[in-house]
Amino acid sequence: MNALAAVFQTLLKNKGQPGGRVAPFVILLLVVTVLASAANLLVPETSAFHVSTYTITLLGKYLSYAMLALAVDVIWGYCGILSLGHGAFFALGGYGMGMYLMRQIGDRGVYGNPELPDFMVFLDWSELPWFWQGMDQFWFAMLMAVLVPGILAYVFGWLAFRSRVTGVYLSIMTQALTYALLLSFFRNEMGFGGNNGLTDFKDILGFDLQSDSTRVALFLITALMLSLTLITSHWIMKSRLGKVIVAIRDGESRARFIGYRTEQYKVWLFVYSAVIAAIAGALYVPQVGIINPGEFSPINSIEVVIWVAVGGRGTLIGAVIGALLVNYAKTRFTAIMPDGWLFALGALFVLVTLYLPKGLMGIYGQLQQRFATRPAAPEASVSTAATSTSATSAAPTTSTSDSSGVSS
């Protein structure tokens, strides 16, 4: 607790600096989360202030997406690595959680098999695959949900960054990675449910997933994890390590020339970003109730990039705000024009690229600077006038003394 308090004091101390708005934003996020949860559990359904369980679940999904956007902003906004494959790490974390939830069904499935999930019984599988062993334990399943995406990110990053693959070529490689996983998980032989994926979850840690209290608890946990990852990422980017990462983004060849092993920094940050995405995926699955290969779709990863661009990359908070706003707009827009959302999303990305290169946080920064400098203008004019007045009044005195000296 003392360490967490010290981090908050540091964040509040830097409130006037770029990125110093993290602590107020986190406090606002947690306050809104607690109020929404209380409005669901304590306020009667007949009241206008009641928040439905559907809304709580929807907000929890938005916060999971915000964590995914934060992961992309860490690697793209601060290191300049445009990843179009972070949806793969998100989906792998989701599958880790989904495997645990499937093992918790037991004999309550359609076929009543206490060991095998329903899709394995349907495919006439006789025994549980080796990679499903131990997934009935929560701690082991969560470890695998984070470890597997982390190892994949490390191997991919080590091969790519060591070969000095950058720019659009790296983006294409990340997109190819998630597309390869998409095709693999569609196959029934992989043992992950094929096209249908994993669904029909019953409970988590013994708590019914359909109950209001469980939904609220998942919503609170997601908000807490988002806050922790936001604070941790801000602290990293403000540290010496973060300054080196920004230096690599702005001039990798120069950073390498003065002795930094840039590929090691990039691999570490890529793994850190992948772990955040995996945690987001693990929190996403029990709230939406399904995970299937569609989450590996490259389109999903491209959408995440748009979220970050709308909010403002390289700001952390902007990525969270962009994810929340765009997904809310998606929910509203798809209800009105389901077929027109992709066109609207593409138009939004073009408009942001042309007219808002720094995103919404860029507009906020411009307004903040404008209002901060406006009161200072009268003071500056007064001081300038006073200086000119004193200089004018001092000039005749000097002239008089000189003339008197000459005449004498």
Side-chain angles (χ1 to χ4, degrees):
M1 292 299 293
N2 293 333
L4 186 60
V7 171
F8 264 100
Q9 290 178 0
T10 303
L11 294 177
L12 290 172
K13 189 184 298 182
N14 298 331
K15 187 170 66 173
Q17 301 176 3
R21 298 175 292 268
V22 169
F25 180 81
V26 167
I27 294 173
L28 176 63
L29 173 65
L30 294 178
V31 168
V32 172
T33 301
V34 171
L35 290 178
S37 302
N40 175 265
L41 296 177
L42 303 179
V43 178
E45 294 184 6
T46 56
S47 174
F49 297 100
H50 177 75
V51 178
S52 65
T53 305
Y54 169 78
T55 303
I56 292 292
T57 303
L58 196 63
L59 293 175
K61 184 177 74 170
Y62 291 167
L63 294 182
S64 300
Y65 285 153
M67 283 188 65
L68 177 59
L70 178 65
V72 173
D73 190 29
V74 164
I75 195 69
W76 182 34
Y78 287 90
C79 201
I81 301 173
L82 178 56
S83 172
L84 299 179
H86 260 57
F89 307 124
F90 179 83
L92 287 174
Y95 266 97
M97 173 63 81
M99 293 169 71
Y100 164 77
L101 296 176
M102 289 295 291
R103 292 299 309 274
Q104 299 307 302
I105 296 177
D107 57 1
R108 292 174 294 175
V110 176
Y111 297 100
N113 193 305
E115 290 292 331
L116 299 181
D118 286 338
F119 73 90
M120 293 186 184
V121 178
F122 179 78
L123 295 174
D124 292 331
W125 289 29
S126 59
E127 59 182 2
L128 202 67
W130 63 270
F131 48 85
W132 278 77
Q133 301 294 333
M135 299 303 289
D136 56 336
Q137 301 295 322
F138 181 79
W139 68 270
F140 183 78
M142 294 305 96
L143 179 63
M144 291 297 104
V146 173
L147 191 60
V148 171
I151 293 175
L152 177 62
Y154 176 80
V155 174
F156 178 87
W158 188 84
L159 294 174
F161 301 138
R162 185 179 177 85
S163 303
R164 298 186 181 179
V165 180
T166 59
V168 65
Y169 303 103
L170 181 64
S171 300
I172 293 174
M173 288 177 60
T174 57
Q175 194 172 31
L177 172 66
T178 186
Y179 190 68
L181 290 172
L182 169 68
L183 297 179
S184 299
F185 275 72
F186 262 120
R187 298 172 60 88
N188 288 326
E189 304 86 69
M190 286 287 293
F192 296 103
N195 183 41
N196 296 323
L198 309 177
T199 186
D200 194 27
F201 308 133
K202 305 297 184 183
D203 51 44
I204 178 172
L205 293 174
F207 297 97
D208 183 14
L209 280 174
Q210 305 304 321
S211 67
D212 294 347
S213 58
T214 304
R215 295 283 182 172
V216 170
L218 290 171
F219 174 51
L220 290 171
I221 292 172
T222 306
L224 181 61
M225 290 302 301
L226 174 60
S227 302
L228 290 177
T229 52
L230 184 59
I231 293 173
T232 303
S233 300
H234 178 268
W235 178 77
I236 291 174
M237 295 310 162
K238 290 301 178 182
S239 66
R240 182 180 178 183
L241 173 62
K243 291 178 172 60
V244 174
I245 290 171
V246 174
I248 293 172
R249 179 197 65 186
D250 296 337
E252 183 176 357
S253 58
R254 295 181 181 181
R256 189 184 297 113
F257 179 76
I258 61 178
Y260 287 105
R261 299 288 298 273
T262 58
E263 65 277 2
Q264 294 183 357
Y265 287 91
K266 293 165 73 174
V267 168
W268 180 90
L269 191 67
F270 194 70
V271 172
Y272 171 73
S273 177
V275 168
I276 294 177
I279 295 173
L283 293 170
Y284 168 83
V285 169
Q287 298 184 83
V288 300
I290 187 173
I291 179 70
N292 57 38
E295 298 297 336
F296 287 102
S297 175
I299 297 178
N300 294 346
S301 298
I302 295 174
E303 279 195 34
V304 180
V305 173
I306 297 177
W307 304 343
V308 178
V310 169
R313 68 188 183 103
T315 60
L316 298 179
I317 297 177
V320 175
I321 294 176
L324 296 177
L325 291 179
V326 175
N327 280 285
Y328 174 76
K330 181 179 181 179
T331 302
R332 304 295 297 180
F333 199 90
T334 51
I336 301 172
M337 292 181 59
D339 298 331
W341 168 244
L342 290 180
F343 297 99
L345 188 64
L348 177 64
F349 184 66
V350 172
L351 292 175
V352 168
T353 304
L354 293 178
Y355 302 105
L356 295 175
K358 295 184 180 180
L360 297 177
M361 293 299 293
I363 297 178
Y364 175 78
Q366 292 175 2
L367 294 176
Q368 190 178 35
Q369 290 179 359
R370 181 176 299 177
F371 286 109
T373 56
R374 182 172 296 177
E379 297 178 2
S381 62
V382 171
S383 62
T384 304
T387 304
S388 61
T389 304
S390 62
T392 304
S393 61
T397 305
T398 306
S399 175
T400 305
S401 61
D402 291 343
S403 61
S404 63
V406 172
S407 61
S408 62

